[in-house]
Amino acid sequence: MKIVPLNDRVLVKRLEETQMTKGGIYIPDTAKEKPIEGKIIAVGSGKIADNGQRVALTVKEGDRVLFGKYSGTEIKIEGEEYLMMREDDILAIVE
């Protein structure tokens, strides 16, 4: 599978959160919220500025990022769930 996002879009795979709290309490799937952290799987070629020049993206493949809870569009590729979002929807890079 080869997906290449267009322009300033990125393909993100949500990172799974732990199943238990620090105190050892199991969290059922129905009570969990969607993670807001993910890994960049693919990036587009960059945004086109007003002057016609292409501006490269700040994020790159493999970066761990934080994004808004309702950011992006959920897509399913070969049974895996991903998010397609613009670089502007990314809040921070986790180092």
Side-chain angles (χ1 to χ4, degrees):
M1 175 209 49
K2 182 69 175 169
I3 300 285
V4 180
L6 298 178
N7 300 323
D8 65 334
R9 289 182 174 81
V10 295
L11 187 66
V12 178
K13 173 83 170 148
R14 285 187 198 264
L15 295 179
E16 294 296 322
E17 294 196 4
T18 59
Q19 299 289 329
M20 286 193 189
T21 65
K22 290 180 183 179
I25 298 172
Y26 175 75
I27 303 171
D29 289 338
T30 56
K32 285 194 290 186
E33 292 188 16
K34 292 183 179 181
I36 59 168
E37 186 175 353
K39 181 178 177 183
I40 302 288
I41 303 299
V43 297
S45 56
K47 190 174 191 174
I48 298 177
D50 293 333
N51 63 4
Q53 297 290 328
R54 189 168 295 275
V55 179
L57 299 179
T58 306
V59 296
K60 60 187 179 306
E61 290 181 20
D63 283 349
R64 287 180 56 187
V65 295
L66 297 176
F67 49 86
K69 188 181 288 189
Y70 302 107
S71 297
T73 302
E74 294 182 358
I75 57 173
K76 192 176 257 191
I77 303 170
E78 295 179 356
E80 296 281 331
E81 290 187 10
Y82 297 94
L83 286 173
M84 182 71 71
M85 66 179 69
R86 293 188 178 275
E87 185 185 35
D88 294 342
D89 293 335
I90 296 173
L91 304 174
I93 298 173
V94 179
E95 295 182 350

